[in-house]
Amino acid sequence: EPGGVATLGALLYGLGGRFDESWLRYLQNTLVEPGGLNLRNRICHGLLDQCGPLEAGILIHVACFLATLRVSPPPPAA
């Protein structure tokens, strides 16, 4: 891939099966889904004129959830 950097959408997809599926859909809708809130894209690319209390609250909620996640080492190769 150009730049060798994984997209946020790909990283979220890779989290599938690690926690409740509804949380994954929530994160995708909130952060990267073009038909959803897509706050990451709208804020980072200047498409949102002003970030208000609603957007801030949603992003704080997402940040609090992500802070609870722990990375586990991959299983040993067979």
Side-chain angles (χ1 to χ4, degrees):
E1 294 189 25
V5 178
T7 65
L8 181 57
L11 293 173
L12 290 174
Y13 179 79
L15 291 175
R18 293 181 178 247
F19 49 86
D20 191 276
E21 188 70 21
S22 64
W23 274 106
L24 183 58
R25 288 192 308 271
Y26 172 68
L27 294 173
Q28 290 170 328
N29 179 31
T30 303
L31 299 173
V32 298
E33 184 62 41
L37 290 174
N38 200 8
L39 289 177
R40 187 219 51 92
N41 190 57
R42 291 173 59 209
I43 292 170
C44 292
H45 294 288
L47 303 173
L48 186 63
D49 291 335
Q50 188 173 14
C51 188
L54 178 64
E55 292 85 6
I58 292 170
L59 291 173
I60 290 170
H61 187 246
V62 166
C64 288
F65 173 73
L66 292 175
T68 68
L69 300 180
R70 299 291 174 253
V71 177
S72 57

